[in-house]
Amino acid sequence: MKKANGHEIIQLFESFSPKQYAMDGDPIGLQVGKLNQPVTKVLVALDVLEEVVDEAIENNVQLIIAHHPPIFRPLKKITTDTPSGRLIEKLIKHDIAVYAAHTNLDVATGGVNDLLASALQLENVDILVPTFEQKLKKLAVYVPIESENDVRSALGKVGAGAIGQYSHCSFTSEGTGRFLPGENTNPFIGEVGKLEATKEVKIETIFPDYLEKKVLSAMIKAHPYEEVAYDIYPLENKGPSLGLGRIGVLPESMTLEQFAQHVKTTLDVKTVRVVGNLNDIIKKVAVLGGDGNKYYQHAKFKGADVYVTGDVYYHTAHDMMNAGLNVVDPGHNVEKVMKNGVAQMLTKMCEEKGFEVSFIASDIHTDPFTFL
Ligand SMILES: [Zn+2]
């Protein structure tokens, strides 16, 4: 086991929830403190309230990964006799960093919306509101024949060559590589000062641009040459779409009333607000964590029998009702599903890396509402 610092943990986290996925203007990323220090314990939280900071202090946590950025609007001052100032003061005094992953975690595959869809037991899940199209790049690398398998498998292992449900896709062609090793070189093949011609293969593969660093470092590590010849091209091909919310089907149809009960049980809430006829049959379900008011037409357009989202406004509820869309509002706090989801995923990723770091899901209930 090896020690990790904050940067290494966030690098792993961003390999599944990259910053590029966030909506414009969303204040994500490191908000308080620093990442260049050793981290042995991380707290995963939905909201950073003062009680959550106290929980982090009690548990000797060095880093909080939160879904809702505690600094959402620019701060004009930090006065420590106000709740928000005190929160920042406490974090800095205890050297606790806060990193926020908001809409990028909503969009990420395996993020908030996928966790909600899977909690609701949805099948054949698709994106509800496309917001991001992955940019693709192509790598062509020239490899001596005896190392082609090593390089190909290293590329496939870090995710290059993923096309739809296929992985490790590549194309290999044979040719002759020519080079003249300079005075201070230590060539794998050939001699200093002598023009060399050797059988090489060209391996071509495709990857999403956010994987570039990972792909290059895996490729160079697996390649035997001290100077690797490779090209990277931007592509015009459309990459897979990602986005907010999910739409899928229930394994068994049920009435809207039964579905509302299903939401309460599976998302662990005591009450839900429902718009629509309780006897309607529900099979196709759209879900969007947080405040999904402005996206309800996507649910309607895609033929959802019900739309599950939080913070529904009175007048928007009328609009939804008039559009004939059933709605179940379990509140914004159901996004708490991310606490265990992210903690479990990062635990697994860090175990694979051999990092000595533990992740805990915050135990603090941060829903501001009490239902009587
Ligand atoms: Zn939210």
Side-chain angles (χ1 to χ4, degrees):
M1 296 293 261
K2 48 191 176 189
K3 299 250 178 283
N5 70 27
H7 279 298
E8 289 167 306
I9 292 164
I10 292 303
Q11 224 172 49
L12 280 183
F13 178 75
E14 288 183 357
S15 70
F16 113 100
S17 180
K19 283 183 174 157
Q20 303 94 290
Y21 289 0
M23 310 292 275
D24 282 345
D26 194 6
I28 54 155
L30 184 66
Q31 289 216 314
V32 180
K34 58 183 182 293
L35 290 176
N36 58 344
Q37 62 176 356
V39 170
T40 54
K41 216 166 193 186
V42 179
L43 180 72
V44 183
L46 174 60
D47 304 288
V48 186
L49 302 185
E50 193 169 350
E51 293 91 317
V52 174
V53 177
D54 291 338
E55 183 189 24
I57 295 167
E58 266 165 41
N59 285 285
N60 296 313
V61 157
Q62 299 89 15
L63 172 65
I64 299 175
I65 295 180
H67 183 44
H68 293 138
I71 306 174
F72 200 69
R73 289 174 200 90
L75 288 175
K76 292 210 171 79
K77 53 192 175 187
I78 301 172
T79 44
T80 52
D81 56 353
T82 61
S84 58
R86 204 165 55 228
L87 186 107
I88 292 169
E89 181 191 25
K90 262 195 188 179
L91 287 165
I92 290 174
K93 268 193 181 161
H94 290 88
D95 217 359
I96 298 171
V98 177
Y99 175 93
H102 189 211
T103 46
N104 50 327
L105 188 61
D106 289 324
V107 165
T109 305
V112 177
N113 285 302
D114 273 327
L115 289 164
L116 288 170
S118 120
L120 291 171
Q121 294 155 12
L122 301 188
E123 297 171 348
N124 303 328
V125 174
D126 204 354
I127 308 294
L128 181 65
V129 187
T131 56
F132 183 86
E133 205 163 74
Q134 220 144 47
K135 290 206 169 46
L136 297 172
K137 288 192 172 181
K138 172 160 269 194
L139 168 72
V141 55
Y142 304 86
V143 188
I145 281 182
E146 61 267 37
S147 304
E148 62 170 314
N149 288 335
D150 293 345
V151 174
R152 256 196 309 263
S153 81
L155 289 169
K157 243 188 196 160
V158 292
I163 302 177
Q165 296 299 307
Y166 294 81
S167 66
H168 296 74
C169 302
S170 67
F171 183 82
T172 305
S173 46
E174 272 186 37
T176 305
R178 292 188 173 80
F179 45 88
L180 197 152
E183 218 166 89
N184 296 315
T185 59
N186 180 20
F188 179 71
I189 297 171
E191 290 169 38
V192 171
K194 201 176 147 206
L195 186 66
E196 182 64 40
T198 186
K199 278 252 171 298
E200 286 183 351
V201 295
K202 177 182 177 185
I203 300 171
E204 292 170 272
T205 190
I206 200 167
F207 61 89
D209 65 347
Y210 73 89
L211 277 185
E212 183 164 335
K213 266 194 194 156
K214 238 178 156 179
V215 167
L216 288 188
S217 94
M219 181 265 286
I220 284 166
K221 219 168 156 188
H223 201 293
Y225 286 2
E226 55 178 347
E227 295 294 346
V228 178
Y230 65 90
D231 311 311
I232 292 173
Y233 317 89
L235 295 179
E236 297 288 333
N237 307 33
K238 285 197 190 309
S241 278
L242 297 165
L244 296 170
R246 299 292 183 265
I247 185 160
V249 291
L250 291 167
E252 303 276 341
S253 302
M254 54 180 91
T255 64
L256 179 57
E257 187 169 5
Q258 288 166 330
F259 179 73
Q261 290 300 335
H262 174 67
V263 171
K264 282 163 69 174
T265 322
T266 55
L267 301 185
D268 181 31
V269 284
K270 289 201 179 81
T271 51
V272 293
R273 296 187 301 162
V274 181
V275 178
N277 180 347
L278 295 181
N279 297 318
D280 278 2
I281 299 298
I282 306 298
K283 177 78 175 168
K284 198 169 189 183
V285 176
V287 57
L288 197 148
D291 167 359
N293 281 282
K294 62 180 174 201
Y295 302 111
Y296 80 88
Q297 273 146 333
H298 290 262
K300 179 70 193 160
F301 178 73
K302 293 202 166 153
D305 299 316
V306 67
Y307 182 37
V308 181
T309 195
D311 294 347
V312 174
Y313 308 126
Y314 182 83
H315 293 297
T316 312
H318 274 151
D319 295 341
M320 292 162 159
M321 190 174 80
N322 292 337
L325 179 66
N326 295 317
V327 183
V328 172
D329 179 349
H332 198 130
N333 195 253
V334 292
E335 290 185 313
K336 66 188 175 190
V337 70
M338 61 72 63
K339 295 193 283 187
N340 276 322
V342 168
Q344 282 166 11
M345 192 201 55
L346 282 172
T347 301
K348 193 164 160 258
M349 284 174 128
C350 283
E351 267 170 20
E352 279 166 14
K353 279 268 175 192
F355 287 153
E356 209 179 322
V357 52
S358 60
F359 294 86
I360 48 175
S362 170
D363 260 338
I364 308 290
H365 180 68
T366 58
D367 195 341
F369 300 111
T370 303
F371 296 92
L372 300 174

